[in-house]
Amino acid sequence: MLQTAQSSHALTADQTAQYWEDGYLFPLTVFSEAETAEIRAEFEQLERDWLSADLPLPLNTYKRVNAHLVIPLAAQIALDIRVLDVVEHILGPDIMVWSAEFFVKEAHTEHTVGMHQDLTYWGMGETPDQVTAWIALSPATVASGCMDFVRGSHKNPILPHTDTYSDTNLLSRGQEIAVEVAEEEKTHIELAPGQMSLHHGLTIHGSGPNRSDDRRIGLAIRYLNPNARQLVADRDYAMLARGRDGQSNFVAVNPPQELFSEQSLALYEQVRRDQSKALADGAKNAVPLYGGT
């Protein structure tokens, strides 16, 4: 279980400046090794218990899109004060959770994440009012397919992307930036279990295949402050994590109280349907993770 004790986690002024200079920051330890092992065990038990359950959508969809709406563990991590104390140095005192996604690469598999910029498909333009916290639940190493970031690339606008629809690309559309990224431009973001990285939504990043003997499991949490706006979809949703939402640009949602409850599944489908206008915008083919079926 996640701890609820008061947190002393905070970024120094130098760390905050480094984030805005580089477009990312790592490693930041938020959970102990023992606590992370408990979190991983709970997540993997959930996978075993619900893989064959009669859910409206495949379990992988709920893990990969808006897990915080139907999986209490995802919401608990996203709302943990130790994570929020770090995020506050980037976004300020008012913080909302826009999404949380479990990224899993099985051992000795070819799944990758193409080099891309997150904000390309969020429907929020090039807003600075966001940050992604990526928390390692198992070792994220070069061998296991850790993320690679391109330093300073967040200073670019949104660049052209190509939808590859590759079977081995974990992104919904197999999206990749239509610009060649040389290997020497990449910084390998290696994280031990319980460590976290932060990255800006314009930072070019991706990851390679898992050549290791262990699963590579991470939770990506997308945080906003109330100044962010949805510019493409008619409605969007966010969970208030800290402070107050004085803008009301997003429909407020609450964390789930139990796994895959009827109420949370209904909310999940409503959010998925409304967000699909932005997240599948411009796609030439169907995007199953965000489509209506």
Side-chain angles (χ1 to χ4, degrees):
M1 294 294 295
L2 295 175
Q3 299 174 359
T4 58
Q6 290 299 307
S7 170
S8 61
H9 290 69
L11 298 183
T12 66
D14 286 346
Q15 286 176 310
T16 303
Q18 183 179 348
Y19 169 83
W20 288 109
E21 177 62 24
D22 294 344
Y24 59 83
L25 186 68
F26 82 108
L28 303 164
T29 299
V30 287
F31 303 132
S32 70
E33 183 177 344
E35 187 177 6
T36 306
E38 292 180 6
I39 295 170
R40 175 176 177 171
E42 182 176 343
F43 172 71
E44 293 186 316
Q45 186 63 52
L46 177 158
E47 290 181 303
R48 291 189 291 271
D49 291 345
W50 289 88
L51 180 61
S52 301
D54 186 22
L55 292 169
L57 297 168
L59 178 62
N60 187 57
T61 300
Y62 295 111
K63 287 162 34 180
R64 278 282 291 105
V65 180
N66 289 331
H68 66 300
L69 298 180
V70 290
I71 300 176
L73 178 65
Q76 289 165 14
I77 296 171
L79 298 174
D80 192 284
I81 61 173
R82 291 163 290 183
V83 180
L84 296 177
D85 282 352
V86 174
V87 171
E88 182 167 334
H89 286 265
I90 305 301
L91 293 183
D94 302 320
I95 304 170
M96 304 184 299
V97 178
W98 182 63
S99 74
E101 308 164 352
F102 288 102
F103 280 87
V104 180
K105 291 182 186 175
E106 302 296 342
H108 301 289
T109 56
E110 296 301 317
H111 286 104
T112 63
V113 173
M115 299 297 287
H116 67 287
Q117 295 168 298
D118 290 333
L119 282 173
T120 307
Y121 299 100
W122 290 10
M124 300 180 198
E126 296 170 353
T127 177
D129 300 309
Q130 44 63 38
V131 66
T132 293
W134 199 101
I135 301 173
L137 302 183
S138 68
T141 64
V142 173
S144 70
C146 68
M147 286 191 293
D148 297 319
F149 292 158
V150 177
R151 179 178 286 113
S153 55
H154 65 303
K155 299 174 184 178
N156 292 306
I158 294 176
L159 300 171
H161 284 63
T162 301
D163 296 343
T164 70
Y165 295 97
S166 168
D167 291 337
T168 60
N169 192 321
L170 288 175
L171 297 179
S172 58
R173 296 154 65 156
Q175 52 260 42
E176 293 183 350
I177 197 163
V179 176
E180 191 68 29
V181 178
E183 285 301 313
E184 58 268 23
E185 294 183 84
K186 300 176 182 179
T187 299
H188 301 309
I189 309 303
E190 294 194 290
L191 300 171
Q195 289 186 328
M196 176 175 75
S197 65
L198 301 176
H199 71 266
H200 190 285
L202 290 175
T203 298
I204 298 172
H205 65 289
S207 62
N210 185 356
R211 311 291 195 196
S212 77
D213 296 329
D214 192 11
R215 309 174 84 196
R216 195 220 66 172
I217 309 171
L219 178 64
I221 310 164
R222 323 294 188 172
Y223 292 102
L224 309 174
N225 70 32
N227 294 323
R229 299 180 63 89
Q230 175 56 247
L231 304 175
V232 177
D234 296 328
R235 281 181 304 279
D236 209 342
Y237 302 78
M239 182 181 293
L240 185 64
R242 174 171 288 183
R244 59 185 293 271
D245 176 9
Q247 304 288 343
S248 300
N249 293 329
F250 294 82
V251 178
V253 296
N254 296 316
Q257 298 304 305
E258 59 183 279
L259 277 165
F260 305 114
S261 69
E262 182 177 349
Q263 180 182 10
S264 66
L265 287 171
L267 173 62
Y268 184 95
E269 188 53 38
Q270 177 183 339
V271 173
R272 181 171 175 260
R273 183 172 56 249
D274 288 342
Q275 286 184 340
S276 67
K277 182 174 181 181
L279 297 170
D281 184 49
K284 295 180 180 179
N285 298 326
V287 185
L289 284 176
Y290 302 121
T293 59

